[in-house]
Amino acid sequence: MELLSSTLNDLQGWFATLDPAAIGLQLLVIGLAVAGGWIVHRFYQATFAAHFGDVSFKGMRQLAIRIGRRLIFPLSTALLALIGRQILSPFGLETRLLDIVIQLMLALAAIRLLVYALGVGIGPGPALRAWEQILSTGIWMVVALHVVGWLPLVAETMDALAINFGDSRISLLMVIKLLV
């Protein structure tokens, strides 16, 4: 519980130093970056479908197209957030939230790429697409908790949620580690 109290003290200190205008601007930039990333993704999908809708590619072209579909949203969102960060920085405004969003979007792109490569190595199957989404989301959530510094707190909390059976102790963290 020491970790929880120190984390709460850190959060209180962090909130005390925040400038509401800087937070508002960062949230605006994040919203615009996510919306812009979504628009770029939709534009990529629509343009690709319009130009190559009935053409089936094989080999490296098909691989490149599928990788592009998975990476266009996180990379364009990270790029737009980086541009927003560069616009806010010269004015001396805080950009901690934008730094976190950039890290998270780059991590999402890397995770999607690695999980897709794993799926290509395993081979296509009916459940592969669903497992790809679940695996990517799970890994990204762990990375997100690590980036914001909450992973030790969550792990400690999950370890505290335990049931004792005689001399044996079974915690939520232990069950998750066993399943993974």
Side-chain angles (χ1 to χ4, degrees):
M1 288 296 139
E2 291 177 25
L3 184 61
L4 177 62
S5 63
S6 70
T7 303
L8 290 176
N9 288 337
D10 290 345
L11 282 174
Q12 286 175 344
W14 185 68
F15 281 119
T17 63
L18 292 180
D19 178 20
I23 294 295
L25 285 172
Q26 287 182 80
L27 291 175
L28 177 65
V29 169
I30 291 168
L32 291 173
V34 169
W38 182 78
I39 290 169
V40 169
H41 176 74
R42 299 297 288 174
F43 179 75
Y44 175 83
Q45 297 284 40
T47 302
F48 184 81
H51 289 277
F52 305 109
D54 56 350
V55 178
S56 67
F57 292 109
K58 299 290 181 203
M60 292 304 287
R61 284 187 181 176
Q62 182 183 26
L63 184 67
I65 291 166
R66 288 182 178 173
I67 289 172
R69 285 181 185 162
R70 284 165 176 78
L71 298 183
I72 194 76
F73 173 73
L75 290 180
S76 59
T77 302
L79 178 66
L80 292 170
L82 185 61
I83 291 169
R85 182 186 185 283
Q86 293 304 102
I87 291 171
L88 294 180
S89 291
F91 297 107
L93 296 172
E94 189 65 44
T95 59
R96 281 188 260 184
L97 292 178
L98 289 172
D99 294 339
I100 290 171
V101 168
I102 292 167
Q103 290 176 13
L104 290 177
M105 289 296 109
L106 292 176
L108 180 61
I111 291 166
R112 282 186 173 183
L113 182 62
L114 291 173
V115 170
Y116 179 69
L118 180 65
V120 168
I122 292 173
L128 179 64
R129 181 76 175 136
W131 278 107
E132 184 179 333
Q133 294 289 334
I134 292 168
L135 190 58
S136 293
T137 303
I139 294 170
W140 188 75
M141 288 173 58
V142 171
V143 169
L145 288 171
H146 173 71
V147 167
V148 297
W150 293 355
L151 187 58
L153 178 64
V154 171
E156 181 182 293
T157 303
M158 289 185 348
D159 193 44
L161 296 172
I163 299 173
N164 292 324
F165 291 108
D167 291 338
S168 300
R169 182 177 181 272
I170 299 174
S171 70
L172 179 60
L173 181 62
M174 184 184 300
V175 171
I176 290 174
K177 284 182 177 180
L178 179 68
L179 293 174
V180 176

